[in-house]
Structures are given as structure tokens and as C-alpha cells.
Amino acid sequence: MVHIYRLLYALFVLILFTLFGCKEYDKKLTSEKEIPSKPIGLKQNYKDDFFIGAAINHALIEKRDSLGLELLETEFNSITPENIMKWMHIHPGKEVYDFSLPDAYVDLGERHQHFTVGHTLVWHSQLAEWVTEVKDSTELKEVMEDHINTIVGRYKGKIDSWDVVNEALNEDGSLRESVFYELAGEKYLEWAFELAAEADPEAQLTYNDYNLTNPEKRAGAISIVKQLKDKGLKIDVVGMQGHWNLKGPSLKEIEESILAYHNAGVKVAITELDITVLPNPWDLEGAEVSQNFEGSEFMNPYPESLPDSVQKELADRYQSIFKLFLKHKDKIDRVTFWGMNDGSSWLNGWPIKNRTNYPLLFDRSYRPKEAYHSVLALKN
Ligand code: XIL
């Protein structure tokens, strides 16, 4: 009899434990779920949407910018070299290549496991002087073969995406009279993409340009995509640089462009995003950028700090742009900012030297700005 009581008691305790013990455990699980894991960085928050990249300069590649390196680790999962892979730096003489910084850049990308971009193989700007002495299309083809095979071959499997041709278009959608075009006509585009694909068949290949939201230039970019595809050549991405301002391009123009490139059968990358808050000399009647605006208070209105109202305007602009990117995340591969923070942005020196611009998400002390929080808020 005593045994039966003991057995019933044990059973009772077991039932109690099952009921309340598990409840406790459940509660713990639920409350753990209720507290969202600490949001860490843009890259983490946008990991299911697209890569978040930054253009990095030589100070960062040489590890002289420790705060920049920290930001790179927490916020970004893709990198683009701001200057060091451009022709004049990587291939300064016909027989001379300089791989010291590009090697360090690619090592950095491998160590951080970043999606690593090569910028850029064929571009009329920041070109080595000697290329302008090339005589004819036969020699140009040999030069391009050597340039692309050597560079893409060296980083095969390490550079994930190449900006194969940069800024080949005029504003009206026609091809720019670069040294490449003058010697070979539109053929040079085909050579570039063909050579890049042969040198690394796995790498993503991009045509990259600015103002690709303008309908005429957009049509030009789409005809490049068609030309290459018709020839059976590989082109994976159109890179819209994204050097934008507080008002333009409109969200409608950006959206129409994303859709147009998607319909042409390529992915879209936003490759050089920054939003200037300063007046643009081209908007002034009769203004010539070659005119000297340096030192003009009107053209450099915020030398000390950005007023709250403009800070807010920038945050709203970034938020609406990222909202649109999220809407079309299936078409967008990567969004890369052109620089890490306001202090290192090229827009402090272009198109007018010595200005104080505020175009990025991190301020001069590498602190997140209101615009950073507005972009992050879309994911929380
Ligand atoms: C810019 C760099 O940011 C500057 O440091 C350099 O002096 C000039 O070039 N389009 C491009 C980029 O494809 O390579 C340019 O980068 C900005 C415009």
C-alpha cells in the first residue's frame, strides 16, 4: 500500500514538474525570442537583401586607418578600391605593373571575406599616359589583351566582380570619343568583356556609369547590354554609380531605371552611392566648372557643421532611396557607398576643391549619422 502512495506521489511530482517546469522553460524561450538580437551593422541587417559595400582608399588598405578598418568590419561586406586599381596606378608603363597595393587590397578582402570588386579595367579617365600613344586598333587590342589577362588572371577567383568598362557613354546615349573608341569603335566594348570572361569565367562582369537614370543615357546602356548579349558575350550587371543629390534623380527615375536594366536581362548594382548636400556649379546659370569657385562662401555653405534641417533632409532622402532598393531587392545585387565617411569623400574636392561635404552615412569622426539610423530603421 505504502508503495502505491509513494508511486502516486512521484507521479504527482512528475506531473507538476512537467506542467510548471516546462512553463518556466517556455517562458524563457519566449522572452529570449522577444528580445531581438542586438542589431549589429548595416551588413548584418541587410544580409538577406543585398551586399553593402564601401569604396576604400589607400590609407585603409595600408591599415593606417584603424577606425575605418573597424567600420569596415562591422558595417560592410563588400569593398571596391577607390583608386589603386585604375590603369594609371596598376599599369603605369607598357611593361610595368604595380601590384603592391592591389595585392594588399585583395588580401584584405579575403581576410574579411568581403565580396571584392575590381575597379576598373577600361576607362578613359585616370588612364596611363602611354595608352594615348597607341597607334591603331591592332595595337590597342594587344594592349587590352595584356592588361586584362594580366590583371584579371592574377586575381582569378579572388576578385568577385569586375567593372569591366567604366563611363563609355555620353549624356545622349552615344559612345564617348575615348582613345578606345577612336581606335576601335564599339568593338572595344566587346573585346573588354570577352577578355575578362576568358580570364576569369566565374567573375561577375559589370558595365558601370553615372547618370544612368537619365532616359537617353539609360537607353545607351541598354544598347550596350544588347550588343554584348547579341554577340553571345557575358555581361551580368549594370552598375549605376549613384552620385546623387538631395532632390535628384527622382525616385521614379531610379525605379524606372532599375526595372529597365532588369528587363534587359542584367542585375543592377548601385556602385558609388553618395548624396551631395552642396550647391552644384552646373546648376548655376552660365557656371563653368573650370571657373574658380574655391573659397566662395555660397558654394561652401557648411564649413563647420551640417544644420539639423539638412541633416534631416539627407536622412529622409537616404531612407526613401533604400526603401526603393528594398522593394526591388530581387533585382539588386549590391549597394556600395563611395567612401567610408564624410571626411574621406571625394566630394570634398570635386567638382570644386576644398569644400566641406556630408554625403555619406558616417561623419568625420566615423560616428553614424541620422542618415545611418534612417537606413537601419527600415530593417528594424
Ligand atoms: C574618383 C575618386 O573617388 C577620387 O579620389 C579620384 O581623384 C577621382 O576618381 N566615377 C568613378 C570613380 O568611377 O572611379 C571616381 O572616383 C568617381 C566617379
Side-chain angles (χ1 to χ4, degrees), residues 5-139:
Y5 280 132
R6 276 198 186 143
L7 207 65
L8 281 176
Y9 179 71
L11 209 62
F12 178 67
V13 169
L14 195 71
I15 289 167
L16 274 186
F17 179 78
T18 315
L19 280 177
F20 297 103
C22 279
K23 254 259 155 7
E24 259 315 293
Y25 183 64
D26 266 358
K27 239 202 260 144
K28 211 168 129 216
L29 257 191
T30 325
S31 64
E32 264 171 15
K33 270 188 208 144
E34 277 162 6
I35 302 166
S37 58
K38 195 170 164 251
I40 37 164
L42 293 170
K43 71 168 181 195
Q44 200 61 26
N45 281 278
Y46 278 85
K47 71 179 187 331
D48 299 327
D49 308 312
F50 34 74
F51 288 115
I52 301 281
I56 59 174
N57 60 21
H58 57 279
L60 205 134
I61 296 166
E62 288 170 338
K63 305 206 179 66
R64 289 186 282 111
D65 177 4
S66 56
L67 291 176
L69 277 167
E70 246 172 62
L71 266 195
L72 191 64
E73 182 67 42
T74 50
E75 301 293 339
F76 301 98
N77 49 18
S78 175
I79 48 176
T80 302
E82 187 175 358
N83 285 302
I84 53 118
M85 276 190 168
K86 291 172 182 172
W87 200 311
M88 66 185 281
H89 298 298
I90 201 171
H91 192 180
K94 193 162 187 178
E95 314 292 333
V96 187
Y97 284 93
D98 182 353
F99 290 120
S100 45
L101 282 170
D103 282 358
Y105 165 77
V106 169
D107 279 356
L108 185 82
E110 280 200 308
R111 227 167 325 108
H112 287 244
Q113 294 186 313
H114 279 145
F115 183 83
T116 304
V117 179
H119 175 81
T120 172
L121 293 170
V122 176
W123 189 27
H124 66 278
S125 194
Q126 291 177 279
L127 186 61
E129 203 42 45
W130 66 270
V131 183
T132 57
E133 284 152 26
V134 172
K135 285 181 301 298
D136 53 29
S137 69
T138 314
E139 195 193 345

Side-chain angles (χ1 to χ4, degrees), residues 82-83 86 119 123 126 166-167 241 243 272 338 346:
E82 187 175 358
N83 285 302
K86 291 172 182 172
H119 175 81
W123 189 27
Q126 291 177 279
N166 200 31
E167 302 180 357
Q241 290 186 1
H243 298 294
E272 306 185 11
W338 203 244
W346 74 306

